[in-house]
Amino acid sequence: MTRTRGRRLGIDVGAVRVGVAMCDPDGILATPVETVPRDADGGADVRRIAELVAEHDVVGVVLGLPRNLRGEDGPAAVAAREFAAALEAGLDVPVELTDERMTTVVATRQLAGRGVRGRRQRSVVDQQAAVAILQGWLDTTRGS
């Protein structure tokens, strides 16, 4: 299947924050966008992502599925699947789940390596994890 040209959002959903990244229309490079406060009960997080989709003419959303190291769904993966279902209900673009094992760990280490720590790190680690999710998906699907 050939990938449609256009911007995509990468999403790293957590219990407290949702990291958002976006790629260029050619699907080459993912960059951080923002961190959205998680609102599991009110849906403000889904509405904000819908605003970003409309504002940037996004053609699809790639959401990280945090499976455990054995490749099984734990509580975080169940929560990610529920968030994906909420996005699918609130968006007019496809939502795809992709394996994201260790992206937050890798993002935290990368930021620490650049001297970004503590509260400042927490504010951007979710965006960096979303970049890793989207960039991994782009690299994997390029040319397919």
Side-chain angles (χ1 to χ4, degrees), residues 2-10 20-27 29-31 33 56-62 94 96 134 137-138 141:
T2 305
R3 188 172 73 184
T4 306
R5 184 179 187 278
R7 294 184 187 276
R8 282 178 175 71
L9 290 184
V20 182
M22 186 173 10
C23 69
D24 59 284
D26 292 320
L29 184 64
T31 56
V33 174
H56 296 285
D57 295 320
V58 168
V59 299
V61 173
V62 178
E96 182 176 336
L134 182 55
W137 183 89
L138 292 169
T141 59

Side-chain angles (χ1 to χ4, degrees), residues 56-111:
H56 296 285
D57 295 320
V58 168
V59 299
V61 173
V62 178
L63 190 136
L65 181 62
R67 305 184 92 187
N68 65 28
L69 293 177
R70 291 186 305 269
E72 302 165 345
D73 283 8
V78 170
R81 288 184 189 280
E82 290 171 357
F83 192 73
L87 286 176
E88 286 173 338
L91 301 176
D92 293 329
V93 299
V95 176
E96 182 176 336
L97 291 166
T98 189
D99 189 350
E100 69 132 313
R101 281 177 262 187
M102 307 299 287
T103 53
T104 301
V105 172
V106 170
T108 301
R109 286 181 184 156
Q110 288 174 339
L111 290 168

